[in-house]
Amino acid sequence: MDALETALDQPGGYPGGLFWLHRGSDPPLGRVIRLLQRASDAGVECGLVRIESFDEILRDLVRLLPALDTSALNALATGRSRVSGAPEPSGQRGWPLIRLNGLAVTIPANCRKLVCTIEGVAAARSAVAEANARLIVTRTQAGVLGFGSDAEFRRVFDPFGITAFDLATFEKRRLRYESGERGLLRDALVEALCAAKNVRAIRRRSADLLVPVDAADSAWDGLRAITRQTTGTMPKHPDLKWHEGVGVRLDWADDGLWLLLDPKIVFEGVTDATKAITADFARERTVKRYNRDLDRLIDFWAKHLAGEALPALSIGDGIDARFAVGKNTAFSKLVQP
C-alpha cells in the first residue's frame, strides 16, 4: 500500500487509471478509500469495482480482449456452475415471490466537458461553491464534466484558462463501476428527485438519503399508512431528529443503470455519544417490518420517485440532465401459461 500511495506523488502516476477490486458488501478499508480519494483529487481516473470473486472478474476481463477464443473459459464456467433447477412446489403452496429493489433509469446522453488547469474533484466543486453557481460537476482525466448553463461554466472556470469547451458522451464501460461519470449522474439524479418529489437529500459516501421536506404534506399519507409516523425527535434528545426515508444509489446490472432503494430510518444530529441510542431506536422501529411491510415500503418509494423527463436544474440554455425513473421493480416468480 505504501508503494501505491507513493506512486500518486510521481509525475504521470497511474497513466492507465487506478481501479480497486473489492469483494463483499462491506465497505473497503479506510486506507483504500483515502487512496482512491487522493487519486480522484489528483485527476487520476479511478474507481471501486465490486466483484464476486477473482476468478469471475478475471474471466470477464479476458473476454474483452479482441479475437480471443473463450471456449475454454466458457467450459470452465459451466463446470463450476452451482445453479440447478428448483423443485416444483407441491400441494397448495406456490413459488416464492421476491421483490427486488431496483428501478430502471434512463440517463442523459451527454454532459458538458471543458479542459482547464483546475486539478481534482474537490477543487472543481470548491470553485463552483465559491462562485455560487448552479452547476453539477466532477473532474476526470478528460477534464471537467458537468451539467449547467454555458455562461455559468465560463464564469466559474475562465480564471483557470479554458482551452477546450465541448460535449462528452457517457460510455457504458465508464458506468459499470464507481467512476467520475457515474458519480456525476448520481449527483444530478438526486438533484432531479429533490426538485420534483418533495424530498431533500442527506449526502453520504456510499448512498444518498432522501427524506420528506414537509412530512405533513398529503403526498406522504401512503407512507404514514405503513409506518404510522414519518418524523420526530428522540426522547430526552430534542436535537436528535429522525425521519422515515430511503437510501438511493446507482448500480449497474443487465447492461444498464438502476436506482436501488433501501427504506430506512434517517437521523440528523447524531454524535459519537448518541450512535448507540439511534441504532437501538432504528432497530425497534424496523424489527417487526416483515416481508409484507417491506414490500409496501418499496412499492411506495418506487411509485413516489418514478417520473418521466425529470430535470436536475430546469435551465433553458446549456446542458441539463433529464432522467426517467421507472415505477415498477422486478419480480421473480413462476409465470403461469
Side-chain angles (χ1 to χ4, degrees):
M1 181 61 83
D2 290 341
L4 295 176
E5 292 171 339
T6 302
L8 279 175
D9 299 325
Q10 307 303 313
Y14 298 104
L18 174 61
F19 303 94
W20 192 277
L21 305 184
H22 182 70
R23 183 180 179 186
S25 58
D26 293 333
L29 296 176
R31 198 170 179 184
V32 173
I33 295 175
R34 291 191 293 272
L35 174 68
L36 294 176
Q37 186 62 56
R38 279 190 59 202
S40 177
D41 292 343
V44 174
E45 182 181 354
C46 62
L48 181 71
V49 183
R50 296 188 180 275
I51 64 173
E52 293 296 328
S53 72
F54 179 78
D55 292 346
E56 277 74 10
I57 188 62
L58 188 60
R59 188 181 72 240
D60 291 342
L61 290 174
V62 169
R63 282 175 170 166
L64 297 176
L65 297 176
L68 179 69
D69 183 4
T70 61
S71 56
L73 288 173
N74 294 335
L76 174 64
T78 302
R80 297 186 58 186
S81 176
R82 299 182 181 180
V83 178
S84 60
E88 184 174 349
S90 59
Q92 296 182 351
R93 290 182 175 272
W95 291 78
L97 183 67
I98 301 175
R99 160 77 82 171
L100 303 184
N101 66 332
L103 300 176
V105 176
T106 302
I107 63 172
N110 304 309
C111 67
R112 176 62 66 201
K113 181 182 79 171
L114 59 91
V115 178
C116 64
T117 59
I118 200 166
E119 296 183 357
V121 178
R125 291 177 176 171
S126 177
V128 171
E130 290 174 3
N132 195 27
R134 291 195 68 214
L135 297 174
I136 304 171
V137 302
T138 190
R139 178 70 163 87
T140 69
Q141 280 189 322
V144 175
L145 307 180
F147 299 103
S149 161
D150 290 348
E152 287 283 81
F153 270 111
R154 293 191 180 278
R155 180 172 71 88
V156 173
F157 294 104
D158 265 342
F160 300 94
I162 297 176
T163 58
F165 198 85
D166 205 346
L167 293 177
T169 300
F170 290 108
E171 302 177 61
K172 284 187 175 182
R173 66 181 183 86
R174 299 277 299 155
L175 302 179
R176 297 176 184 271
Y177 60 92
E178 293 287 351
S179 62
E181 288 87 341
R182 194 160 108 179
L184 174 66
L185 288 170
R186 168 184 155 185
D187 291 343
L189 176 56
V190 169
E191 288 291 332
L193 293 175
C194 289
K197 300 300 179 179
N198 193 26
V199 294
R200 60 185 177 89
I202 300 172
R203 301 286 185 168
R204 295 289 186 268
R205 178 180 294 275
S206 58
D208 294 295
L209 308 178
L210 304 183
V211 298
V213 171
D214 180 7
D217 192 282
S218 60
W220 305 107
D221 288 348
L223 183 60
R224 271 189 294 273
I226 304 169
T227 63
R228 297 186 181 180
Q229 187 177 354
T230 58
T231 189
T233 57
M234 295 287 293
K236 301 181 181 180
H237 297 275
D239 295 333
L240 188 55
K241 298 181 180 180
W242 65 269
H243 313 274
E244 289 286 349
V246 62
V248 296
R249 65 183 178 90
L250 286 176
D251 207 347
W252 182 272
D254 196 27
D255 208 35
L257 283 174
W258 297 76
L259 180 67
L260 302 189
L261 309 179
D262 182 17
K264 60 176 56 186
I265 309 298
V266 179
F267 295 94
E268 292 184 281
V270 180
T271 64
D272 290 339
T274 58
K275 281 183 178 179
I277 298 173
T278 58
D280 290 341
F281 181 85
R283 189 181 305 110
E284 289 178 6
R285 278 194 65 84
T286 59
V287 68
K288 293 185 178 180
R289 290 181 182 176
Y290 303 121
N291 290 351
R292 187 182 300 275
D293 286 338
L294 287 175
D295 175 71
R296 293 172 65 197
L297 277 173
I298 292 176
D299 189 65
F300 170 82
W301 283 109
K303 291 178 179 177
H304 184 81
L305 298 180
E308 298 289 336
L310 301 174
L313 297 170
S314 297
I315 56 176
D317 66 324
I319 304 295
D320 200 352
R322 293 182 179 274
F323 299 87
V325 179
K327 65 179 180 180
N328 296 319
T329 62
F331 291 84
S332 176
K333 65 177 181 179
L334 178 66
V335 178
Q336 299 291 345

